[in-house]
Amino acid sequence: MQTAFLIRIVSVVLQYGMLLFLFMFVLRVARLIQRDIKGKAAFGVRETTAAEAILTVLQAPDASLVGRRFAFTAEIAIGRSPDNDIVLNDTFVSHHHAVITRFNNLFVIEDLASSNHTYVNDECLQQKTYLQANDRIRIGGVILRFER
């Protein structure tokens, strides 16, 4: 009689424990979704300062990158390696593919001897090149728009 009663109590405790665990899990997922939605809203259009430029991802094999905006003032490194400012998970992108640096008040893009080259407005980059507003940069399967 006593063991049946203890088994029933343990069963009820485990059931309520599982419900509590499930509730905590759903709450955690809801918070993560809310944070993600707020993060995506932060990629909206905003004014830039005179010293700032923005790269906007127009097309990418990884759909989560499309629409992302990367603002920078001095330099931004692009490549597949995690130590880049913009990490592109694409096999056609070199580990350290390209870099954009500010020179005076202009921005210059340089291909870092990548295997598959960097293209600006569908022209293969042969040397350092000054970027103009709305230039399209193609690195692997990713297309970025330079904004000023």
Side-chain angles (χ1 to χ4, degrees):
M1 185 86 168
Q2 281 242 349
T3 47
F5 181 71
L6 284 175
I7 290 174
R8 181 148 171 86
I9 288 177
V10 169
S11 175
V12 169
V13 168
L14 287 175
Q15 288 174 356
Y16 279 106
M18 184 58 95
L19 284 174
L20 181 63
F21 176 78
L22 187 60
F23 176 77
M24 299 283 286
F25 175 78
V26 169
L27 185 62
R28 173 89 173 151
V29 168
R31 284 183 182 160
L32 289 173
I33 290 171
Q34 182 183 19
R35 187 180 312 148
D36 189 43
I37 289 170
K38 283 182 181 178
K40 288 189 179 182
F43 295 131
V45 178
R46 65 175 179 81
E47 299 242 354
T48 60
T49 64
E52 187 177 51
I54 295 176
L55 289 177
T56 303
V57 180
L58 301 176
Q59 179 180 329
D62 179 5
S64 67
L65 278 177
V66 176
R68 290 220 31 210
R69 296 166 54 89
F70 300 92
F72 62 102
T73 54
E75 179 177 282
I76 192 163
I78 307 166
R80 194 173 50 190
S81 178
D83 62 339
N84 287 290
D85 300 308
I86 301 177
V87 178
L88 303 176
N89 193 10
D90 183 347
T91 56
F92 294 105
V93 176
S94 297
H95 289 282
H96 296 97
H97 198 99
V99 66
I100 300 173
T101 52
R102 184 170 174 226
F103 181 72
N104 292 329
N105 200 25
L106 300 171
F107 288 88
V108 177
I109 186 168
E110 177 182 10
D111 184 85
L112 301 175
S114 64
S115 302
N116 294 306
H117 308 291
T118 302
Y119 296 84
V120 176
N121 298 325
D122 293 323
E123 291 186 30
C124 185
L125 202 62
Q126 301 295 328
Q127 59 190 7
K128 292 181 181 180
T129 302
Y130 287 102
L131 290 170
Q132 303 293 323
N134 295 316
D135 277 350
R136 291 177 184 260
I137 302 163
R138 182 165 50 92
I139 297 175
V142 178
I143 298 176
L144 304 144
R145 181 177 56 229
F146 177 78
E147 299 172 23
R148 206 50 223 272

